[in-house]
Amino acid sequence: MKPLNLIILLILPVIAITFRMLPEKSVKSSITTGIYIEQEDQWLDSFKKLMGTHSDAFVFEFAGSSDELRNAVESGRYDCGYVIGKDFSANFIEDYKSARINVLTTSNTSYDTVTMEIIMSELLKAYDGAIIDHYLSVSSSASPYYTDDAEKLLDTAYSEILNSDEIFSISANDTGEFASIRLLDFTFPFEKFAGFVIFTASLMGLLTYKKDENDNIYKKLNKSGQLKFYVVNVLVYLLPAALSGFIAIGIFKGFDNTPALLLKMLLYILICMIFCSVLEIFVKSYRVFTAVLPIILACTLVLSPIFIDLTDKNVMFRLLSYLFPPTYM
């Protein structure tokens, strides 16, 4: 008979249907890392080509200057940045332990260890031939016999081995982006919100009872008769709202596990009834109840993990959240 009651019954199915009708949106993201090369040469040109063919969740971009790289890292556009200095190639070929790469990070950097592994892997591919040549011509016992002809022969043989079946490599490539997630299922806590609406309906039933009690409608009834009308008033609001919530949650999440959802809803109805019963015992006056009601709803929104979750931040908030029914939904 009351328009507000009808709105409460319809709000959950309408929201659920609206969300289901919205086109699916997905989030695809990748980790972008910046690289700046101070002095390019044949080996670093090969390295750039190798990084250009890299395909997985990590994307690498080459900056035009160290300042550009630094600004991109500081702004968060790059997860981190790497500066390859002027003498890098000579040091890397002659003694890789003396080669240095400057790493730019911020407090938000998370994947510098992973991206460094990727960069080192590609650097070794670009420099491996030069490192072998340098070792054989300078550092090994075969250096007196290592002529230009031997170098050409080695380069040819090394290339043939890499491209043969004698050496295998393991790679883990995906689409270049992290797996997408459906926004609707993860960004809107529909079950908790439905629990809040159902809980609000039960409080409205108690409010109606307290109003009738204040108007002395139940004055001539004994305690048993008053209890009967209390239960009826609350259930008249609570049961239709719970049915509406049950249907709405089914629309939103699907009816794949209907028995479990039905059992959960029945237990939630019982929890709401217990809360209202305790509240009715301690708050006898209708005037006091109308003053307390907004505070209860506000505390429910804040302490129950509906739109914000404070329970992970503070143990006291976690304990207080158990006082409000939506926490159990």
Side-chain angles (χ1 to χ4, degrees):
M1 297 297 292
K2 297 181 180 179
L4 180 60
N5 296 351
L6 183 61
I7 292 174
I8 292 176
L9 293 178
L10 293 179
I11 188 172
L12 291 176
V14 168
I15 292 176
I17 293 172
T18 301
F19 270 88
R20 295 296 297 181
M21 291 179 63
L22 289 175
E24 288 190 4
K25 297 180 181 180
S26 62
V27 174
K28 292 183 178 181
S29 59
S30 56
I31 303 301
T32 304
T33 300
I35 303 173
Y36 171 61
I37 300 174
E38 290 186 349
Q39 184 178 9
E40 297 187 12
D41 51 40
Q42 58 178 325
W43 298 288
L44 289 173
D45 287 342
S46 177
F47 167 70
K48 289 180 68 174
K49 291 178 181 178
L50 289 170
M51 295 304 295
T53 61
H54 185 78
S55 175
D56 60 19
F58 296 91
V59 177
F60 295 87
E61 295 182 358
F62 288 89
S65 67
S66 58
D67 290 337
E68 178 185 336
L69 178 65
R70 183 179 297 275
N71 292 335
V73 173
E74 290 178 349
S75 66
R77 180 187 167 199
Y78 293 157
D79 181 66
C80 60
Y82 297 90
V83 179
I84 301 177
K86 293 181 180 179
D87 300 325
F88 177 80
S89 291
N91 293 331
F92 196 69
I93 293 172
E94 295 175 8
D95 180 14
Y96 72 92
K97 293 181 180 180
S98 64
R100 295 289 182 268
I101 297 177
N102 293 326
V103 185
L104 306 179
T105 63
T106 68
S107 59
N108 295 322
T109 297
S110 303
Y111 298 96
D112 51 315
T113 304
V114 179
T115 51
M116 175 55 83
E117 291 289 340
I118 296 171
I119 289 174
M120 288 304 300
S121 173
E122 302 301 336
L123 282 172
L124 287 173
K125 291 179 184 177
Y127 283 89
D128 54 5
I131 292 173
I132 293 173
D133 289 337
H134 179 268
Y135 172 75
L136 291 176
S137 62
V138 176
S139 303
S140 74
S141 58
S143 58
Y145 312 102
Y146 193 68
T147 63
D148 292 341
D149 292 336
E151 180 181 344
K152 293 178 181 178
L153 180 63
L154 177 68
D155 290 343
T156 301
Y158 183 63
S159 177
E160 289 177 353
I161 291 174
L162 286 180
N163 295 322
S164 70
D165 295 333
E166 297 180 32
I167 294 179
F168 70 92
S169 62
I170 300 174
S171 62
N173 294 333
D174 54 31
T175 61
E177 294 170 320
F178 288 123
S180 62
I181 59 174
R182 190 164 178 259
L183 285 178
L184 300 184
D185 291 341
F186 290 90
T187 58
F188 188 71
F190 190 80
E191 281 191 87
K192 298 291 185 183
F193 177 72
F196 176 74
V197 173
I198 296 168
F199 174 57
T200 302
S202 68
L203 292 178
M204 290 182 62
L206 179 57
L207 178 66
T208 301
Y209 172 76
K210 300 299 287 186
K211 176 66 169 61
D212 291 345
E213 187 181 48
N214 184 74
D215 294 338
N216 296 319
I217 292 179
Y218 309 124
K219 187 176 182 179
K220 296 181 179 181
L221 295 176
N222 55 25
K223 292 294 182 181
S224 176
Q226 292 180 11
L227 177 61
K228 174 184 174 182
F229 276 96
Y230 154 72
V231 173
V232 168
N233 270 281
V234 176
L235 289 181
V236 161
Y237 283 80
L238 179 56
L239 290 180
L243 177 61
S244 173
F246 174 79
I247 295 172
I249 294 173
I251 294 172
F252 186 82
K253 300 189 69 175
F255 291 96
D256 298 334
N257 201 1
T258 302
L261 178 58
L262 180 59
L263 177 60
K264 184 177 182 179
M265 190 62 68
L266 292 175
L267 291 175
Y268 187 70
I269 291 172
L270 178 61
I271 292 172
C272 290
M273 284 296 300
I274 293 173
F275 184 94
C276 290
S277 299
V278 173
L279 191 61
E280 204 281 328
I281 292 173
F282 286 98
V283 182
K284 292 297 185 180
S285 170
Y286 168 72
R287 181 174 297 180
V288 174
F289 182 75
T290 56
V292 169
L293 182 58
I295 299 175
I296 294 174
L297 294 175
C299 290
T300 303
L301 286 172
V302 172
L303 295 174
S304 294
I306 301 174
F307 299 110
I308 56 174
D309 189 358
L310 300 177
T311 58
D312 291 335
K313 309 296 183 183
N314 190 287
V315 176
M316 183 60 68
F317 287 152
R318 188 182 308 121
L319 295 175
L320 290 174
S321 69
Y322 295 129
L323 297 176
F324 301 95
T327 302
Y328 302 93
M329 191 59 189

